[in-house]
Amino acid sequence: MLEQIDMSMVNWARGQFALTAMFHWIFVPLTLGLSFLLAFFESLYVKTGNEQWKRITKFWMRLFAVNFAIGIATGIILEFEFGTNWSNYSWMVGDIFGAPLAIEGIFAFFIEATFFAVMFFGWDRVSKKFHLFSTWMVAVGSNLSALWILVANGWMQNPVGMKFNPDTARFEMENFWEVLGSPVAIGHFTHATSSGFLLASLFVVSISSWFLLKNRHIEMAKRSIMVAAVFGLISSAYVAFTGDETAYTAAQVQPMKLAAIEGLYQGEEGSSLAAVGLLRPDMQPGDDKDPYIFAIKIPYLLSLLANRDPNSFVPGINDLVYGNPEQNIVGVNARMIEGKTAIEQLALYKNARGNGDEATAAAALSRFEAVSANLGYGYLSSPEQAVPPVALNFYSFRIMVALGTFFPLLFLAYLFFTYRGTIAKQKWLLMAGVVSLFLGYIAQEAGWIVAEVGRQPWAIQGLLPVHVATSNLTTATVQTTFFMFLGLFTLLLIAEIRIMLKQIHIGPEGK
Amino acid sequence: MFGNLAHSQLQQLWWIIVATVGSLFLFMTFVQGGQTLLATAARTEEEKSLIINSIGRKWELTFTTLVLFGGAFFAAFPLFYATSFGGAYWVWILILFTFIVQAVSFEYRRKPGNLLGTKTYDAFLFINGSVGLLLIGAAVATFFSGSNFQLSAYNSVTWQHPLRGLEAAFSLFNLSLGIFLAFLARILGAMYLLNHIHHDSLEERLRKAAFNNLLCALPFLLYFLARLLVMGGYAVEPQTGAVALVAGKYLSNLLAMPLVLILLLAGLVLVVAAVALTRFTPRRSGIWLAGPGTVFVGLSLFFLAGFNHTAFYPSKFDLQSSLTIANASSSHYTLTAMSYVAIAVPFVLAYIAYVWRLMDARKLTVDDLQGEEAEDLY
């Protein structure tokens, strides 16, 4: 399809998308969660009539707005980057992928844009109840936008509800509900939004803890902690539940991703999970070595996680790359042969159609359809290319899970001392709370690394590798825009952090 | 309901929807106009503050309309999305940059510790309102003047000009539309602000600004329209899909579609009448004439480009690579599904209108710049 592929350009384009997505995700989870916390605070204000809750709401709202603006700034580029840097992708799957993006605009962004203005500037322009309604709508709108974008992302992880149309040489939608209701999409949506709730809870706990340590705004900090710790604890539980669900669906539809996350080369029954481990850096697919230099393993846990059955077989990288007839696994090597046949027959079909040779076209089409399920594999140059970066997945996953286990304990401790009424005296806990915000951001980014790097080399799992999905650009062009984005976003991030710190320093009482 | 429509009917329906969103965006560029008026119409910090806080309550709607315009194009005409964004890379990247810096500027411009200083953020707003719109106009004008690209048998785009889309800004025809849009935004901005802010000295200047910017805009509009009516256009042979350059194509489109001609003329009359009323009578509601007028003009341009067997994104490098609403569109299934989704649009417009009325029931005055609320002002 693309005659000459410049891998260095492809990698810069991947780097640019990763860069913009990771910047964007610094701001999004806070928007997702803090919008709900604002709604909780304001609901308490409307219910109790206590002005203190209003001050609390307005303080966090100010920080919310600073974060929201840069979230929008970094978000617009992501939508358009599919076109600018991944134009083949946009054409080949735009029929399916464009829909959720458009729906996100209609059903989510307008809710956010409309009600944000009321929430921020409407305190004395609309009734108390309508203002509260608007604050809730901002939360609903933000999280709805996450739904649609994660439906789109979930579809890339597990393409469903579509078929390949040989006449247009692209994938076309067959069932909208299948795309929307895909378990992978719902899993990613629930996991990403609940982790956003968790991060926002950490944000409120962290800043409030700093106030307590500085002996400022004590009452406001305590109240904020109380609400955020409850929300954080519930969210943590939900993060764990949806995380397990996400791992399970990955095992079912992206077994290579799971194998990479685990550093599992040789599949086995009753597979154990390396809770902590150090990977052998020179390990290659096909090697007969122990992939771990050191590992603490929990028996049967991986089989349980992957298939809900402790004795089940979990395929490793070698099984998936080279095949395992005993387990009925067709390897990438065999799929590549079929894929290359599919590409040839498709070209033959198109050519014959162009020349009006319907008999040849029909024969080519029938040969194409027999192997078209593996079309994407035809673009790979070696079976090993189908293996994502193992170490990055392995370590990112463990960082995410370890932090995800720590956060609920932290919230529990906060709730315990809040209940005892001694939270302001727990210096060590408050300091841990302040630091935990940064850990929260690390966990967020690590989660996305697992989700997206684990999908490599595919732009769309099994159908379209990233190097076929790109635009026809030069390396220098993409390098230039990469550094433009890096420079601008870094500058804006520094500005955002400085404004935030200044606002926190000013505190809820105002200038 | 929609499933029974022919593919070609759905393609036409979606061209109308995309055109509507695009035209609504043009109306909403009163925000961008307000951003450039900051530098010319406001004399004092107080006036600046009124302007910024007036458009600051609407900028996200404009931004969202632009994002929806992109999303609708992606869903309905993905080959345009792939070809134009992936091909005319630099022009789109620069347009996006002006919107990235816009998005933070309202919130950050006056906040303590904002790193770059108020003047820089105001400059960002000015760039978005001028360069941003100018480039959008130049890019849209290529719907008529054509671009330099070629599509492979698998629809992969190769751009044939080293400037990758920026070359559009070096044509007088394209540039005219861009400059016209930038001035139109200022006309709309002045009328919007006049309607939303009550402040005596600002009022007089805004009335003059609407009029003066119309005078500046007219030559560019007239040049653009005159060229459009005499230039060759990219016609599609309905049976074969072959594209050919035909003399006077857009003039013949206009004559073949009288409704489009009426839209164009009515739109222009509405805008000019709104400016005249604003300048020579005490009325404040010019925006509610000029707004629909702008939408009409926008619609007529989109219809001229895409309907009556015309290639809406022509390639002057390789005529047969040109995009039409037939060859660039999504499948019958997707257009049907998206048509059901589009039923929601009137409801979305309804709640936006409701909230808009609610929030603007009381006009913005100097009193709003003081008191408890002042801290959260832009």
Side-chain angles (χ1 to χ4, degrees):
Chain A
M1 220 163 265
L2 282 178
E3 292 72 22
Q4 283 184 320
I5 294 153
D6 181 349
M7 276 318 280
S8 123
M9 189 282 288
V10 175
N11 286 330
W12 278 101
R14 284 178 58 203
Q16 180 172 308
F17 201 90
L19 172 88
T20 45
M22 289 178 86
F23 260 106
H24 187 49
W25 199 256
I26 296 174
F27 317 108
V28 174
L30 189 57
T31 300
L32 295 178
L34 197 53
S35 57
F36 272 116
L37 280 161
L38 293 179
F40 298 155
F41 291 137
E42 194 179 336
S43 297
L44 285 165
Y45 162 59
V46 173
K47 201 168 167 4
T48 62
N50 184 337
E51 287 291 319
Q52 173 83 348
W53 284 117
K54 185 178 180 185
R55 268 197 298 281
I56 292 175
T57 311
K58 288 184 83 169
F59 171 71
W60 295 112
M61 203 172 271
R62 217 167 288 153
L63 299 183
F64 176 85
V66 175
N67 176 73
F68 190 68
I70 190 166
I72 296 176
T74 50
I76 188 172
I77 188 63
L78 283 175
E79 174 185 354
F80 289 98
E81 238 172 335
F82 286 110
T84 54
N85 292 76
W86 306 96
S87 61
N88 263 350
Y89 171 96
S90 294
W91 163 243
M92 285 195 71
V93 300
D95 198 65
I96 308 133
F97 192 84
L101 262 63
I103 297 174
E104 185 185 17
I106 297 173
F107 283 110
F109 289 155
F110 277 112
I111 298 180
E112 286 180 80
T114 307
F115 291 101
F116 179 85
V118 183
M119 179 174 95
F120 216 61
F121 300 108
W123 286 104
D124 58 357
R125 287 183 174 260
V126 300
S127 72
K128 226 180 189 183
K129 285 212 167 127
F130 191 81
H131 192 277
L132 177 63
F133 172 76
S134 302
T135 307
W136 275 99
M137 287 312 283
V138 170
V140 169
S142 313
N143 283 272
L144 267 182
S145 85
L147 169 69
W148 292 106
I149 198 64
L150 287 160
V151 162
N153 180 267
W155 186 82
M156 296 167 80
Q157 312 278 348
N158 179 33
V160 290
M162 49 86 209
K163 65 174 187 327
F164 186 80
N165 180 343
D167 290 312
T168 53
R170 65 169 175 179
F171 296 92
E172 293 178 359
M173 189 158 25
E174 254 193 329
N175 189 334
F176 176 78
W177 301 111
E178 227 179 294
V179 175
L180 175 59
S182 147
V184 177
I186 300 303
H188 276 247
F189 165 63
T190 49
H191 193 54
T193 45
S194 53
S195 75
F197 303 162
L198 196 163
L199 182 92
S201 304
L202 285 174
F203 180 80
V204 171
V205 164
S206 168
I207 294 167
S208 303
S209 300
W210 186 77
F211 281 145
L212 290 183
L213 284 170
K214 292 279 163 192
N215 210 15
R216 293 176 57 194
H217 320 300
I218 306 291
E219 202 44 41
M220 176 235 152
K222 280 182 180 172
R223 284 177 189 233
S224 299
I225 283 176
M226 190 173 68
V227 176
V230 171
F231 191 46
L233 187 63
I234 297 170
S235 305
S236 307
Y238 203 55
V239 166
F241 170 71
T242 53
D244 173 63
E245 207 48 40
T246 310
Y248 173 72
T249 49
Q252 306 307 308
V253 300
Q254 295 174 295
M256 185 68 91
K257 182 193 261 186
L258 187 78
I261 286 172
E262 291 308 322
L264 182 71
Y265 282 81
Q266 218 54 54
E268 56 186 6
E269 285 170 354
S271 190
S272 55
L273 187 143
V276 184
L278 201 60
L279 289 176
R280 192 182 294 283
D282 58 349
M283 188 77 184
Q284 295 295 326
D287 285 357
D288 206 13
K289 293 182 278 197
D290 182 355
Y292 307 109
I293 293 170
F294 143 84
I296 299 171
K297 294 186 177 182
I298 305 171
Y300 300 108
L301 188 61
L302 183 58
S303 287
L304 191 66
L305 189 82
N307 300 315
R308 308 265 155 95
D309 171 2
N311 297 310
S312 63
F313 179 83
V314 179
I317 290 168
N318 292 341
D319 305 285
L320 296 164
V321 171
Y322 305 110
N324 181 338
E326 273 174 42
Q327 298 289 337
N328 283 324
I329 295 170
V330 181
V332 173
N333 49 4
R335 289 174 189 268
M336 277 175 64
I337 295 168
E338 289 201 349
K340 294 201 186 298
T341 308
I343 293 171
E344 278 167 25
Q345 296 302 318
L346 180 64
L348 201 61
Y349 169 76
K350 278 186 79 79
N351 206 10
R353 281 298 301 269
N355 299 332
D357 182 356
E358 292 302 327
T360 309
L365 183 61
S366 109
R367 285 194 296 270
F368 168 76
E369 280 173 347
V371 288
S372 65
N374 288 319
L375 176 69
Y377 288 87
Y379 299 112
L380 299 184
S381 47
S382 74
E384 292 78 14
Q385 207 188 340
V387 183
V390 175
L392 190 55
N393 277 293
F394 181 84
Y395 295 116
S396 301
F397 183 78
R398 273 148 192 79
I399 289 170
M400 173 183 73
V401 172
L403 290 172
T405 315
F406 163 71
F407 297 136
L409 299 175
L410 181 81
F411 291 126
L412 264 179
Y414 267 91
L415 281 177
F416 175 74
F417 289 110
T418 299
Y419 176 72
R420 294 272 295 265
T422 58
I423 186 72
K425 293 185 194 139
Q426 311 301 325
K427 300 278 181 236
W428 55 270
L429 179 63
L430 296 174
M431 280 192 268
V434 172
V435 176
S436 292
L437 177 58
F438 305 100
L439 301 179
Y441 280 108
I442 291 171
Q444 292 284 337
E445 299 291 352
W448 273 109
I449 289 172
V450 173
E452 301 305 295
V453 177
R455 171 171 55 80
Q456 297 304 318
W458 302 105
I460 301 159
Q461 184 69 39
L463 297 182
L464 187 69
V466 282
H467 66 267
V468 186
T470 48
S471 302
N472 212 336
L473 296 162
T474 63
T475 307
T477 303
V478 186
Q479 272 175 333
T480 310
T481 47
F482 176 92
F483 286 109
M484 281 167 69
F485 283 120
L486 180 65
L488 181 65
F489 284 171
T490 305
L491 200 68
L492 296 183
L493 177 67
I494 295 170
E496 191 243 9
I497 293 172
R498 278 179 48 127
I499 295 172
M500 282 264 193
L501 291 176
K502 204 83 189 171
Q503 291 295 328
I504 293 165
H505 184 74
I506 292 168
E509 314 299 341
K511 279 179 262 192
Chain B
M1 182 165 63
F2 294 112
N4 295 328
L5 293 178
H7 199 188
S8 62
Q9 288 170 314
L10 285 168
Q11 286 159 344
Q12 295 185 16
L13 173 66
W14 270 91
W15 188 250
I16 294 172
I17 294 175
V18 166
T20 308
V21 178
S23 305
L24 284 172
F25 169 72
L26 291 184
F27 163 45
M28 293 297 297
T29 58
F30 68 75
V31 168
Q32 274 68 24
Q35 290 169 193
T36 58
L37 283 168
L38 259 191
T40 56
R43 297 276 156 82
T44 63
E45 276 308 309
E46 186 179 85
E47 292 172 359
K48 256 190 173 183
S49 199
L50 281 169
I51 291 182
I52 204 94
N53 281 289
S54 173
I55 53 174
R57 287 155 205 219
K58 296 290 183 295
W59 77 267
E60 281 165 308
L61 282 178
T62 308
F63 197 92
T64 302
T65 310
L66 177 66
V67 171
L68 179 61
F69 181 60
F73 247 128
F74 198 178
F77 301 99
L79 189 55
F80 167 76
Y81 203 80
T83 306
S84 185
F85 289 101
Y89 190 78
W90 276 115
V91 74
W92 290 116
I93 288 281
L94 290 185
I95 289 170
L96 288 172
F97 262 78
T98 72
F99 279 88
I100 291 171
V101 295
Q102 182 215 18
V104 292
S105 293
F106 284 98
E107 188 61 43
Y108 290 7
R109 66 184 287 277
R110 279 209 329 179
K111 289 276 185 301
N114 68 13
L115 187 69
L116 305 171
T118 306
K119 283 201 173 132
T120 309
Y121 291 102
D122 287 354
F124 285 165
L125 291 176
F126 189 87
I127 290 168
N128 173 251
S130 53
V131 180
L133 287 187
L134 190 141
L135 290 178
I136 287 181
V140 170
T142 63
F143 281 24
F144 304 101
S145 59
S147 301
N148 304 285
F149 64 88
Q150 187 169 29
L151 295 181
S152 74
Y154 291 93
N155 282 325
S156 145
V157 59
T158 309
W159 206 258
Q160 301 289 350
H161 195 287
L163 290 177
R164 293 210 73 122
L166 272 187
E167 71 275 14
F170 294 94
S171 128
L172 190 58
F173 173 77
N174 296 342
L175 210 53
S176 304
L177 186 64
I179 295 172
F180 167 67
L181 288 190
F183 280 118
L184 176 67
R186 286 169 64 84
I187 298 169
L188 294 168
M191 285 194 261
Y192 175 77
L193 293 169
L194 178 70
N195 189 246
H196 190 221
I197 300 171
H198 282 192
H199 185 280
D200 290 339
S201 55
L202 199 53
E203 177 179 336
E204 195 43 39
R205 249 173 278 134
L206 289 172
R207 288 186 189 279
K208 280 185 189 155
F211 186 74
N212 294 341
N213 280 289
L214 179 69
L215 292 185
C216 295
L218 275 179
F220 296 101
L221 175 70
L222 293 177
Y223 175 77
F224 175 81
L225 287 178
R227 281 283 300 143
L228 185 67
L229 296 182
V230 297
M231 71 198 276
Y234 299 83
V236 187
E237 166 63 40
Q239 264 75 45
T240 60
V243 176
L245 198 56
V246 170
K249 171 65 180 158
Y250 299 110
L251 177 62
S252 66
N253 279 4
L254 209 51
L255 298 174
M257 300 183 285
L259 193 64
V260 176
L261 179 63
I262 293 170
L263 272 177
L264 179 63
L265 294 177
L268 293 175
V269 168
L270 281 173
V271 173
V272 173
V275 173
L277 285 174
T278 302
R279 180 72 182 89
F280 302 112
T281 75
R283 284 169 187 268
R284 287 179 172 273
S285 54
I287 184 69
W288 298 117
L289 285 182
T294 303
V295 174
F296 291 169
V297 173
L299 285 174
S300 68
L301 290 181
F302 275 101
F303 294 164
L304 273 184
F307 285 152
N308 199 35
H309 308 299
T310 314
F312 75 87
Y313 197 63
S315 168
K316 50 188 176 187
F317 179 86
D318 170 30
L319 289 184
Q320 302 322 314
S321 288
S322 300
L323 306 189
T324 66
I325 61 172
N327 70 17
S329 92
S330 280
S331 64
H332 187 272
Y333 181 90
T334 296
L335 290 183
T336 306
M338 289 305 297
S339 299
Y340 283 106
V341 170
I343 293 177
V345 171
F347 295 96
V348 172
L349 289 173
Y351 76 70
I352 293 174
Y354 175 75
V355 171
W356 188 316
R357 275 178 63 104
L358 205 61
M359 287 291 287
D360 291 1
R362 205 181 73 225
K363 301 301 172 188
L364 202 66
T365 64
V366 182
D367 292 343
D368 291 291
L369 303 180
Q370 285 132 20
E372 190 199 337
E373 307 297 321
E375 265 177 31
D376 291 325
L377 290 175
Y378 291 144

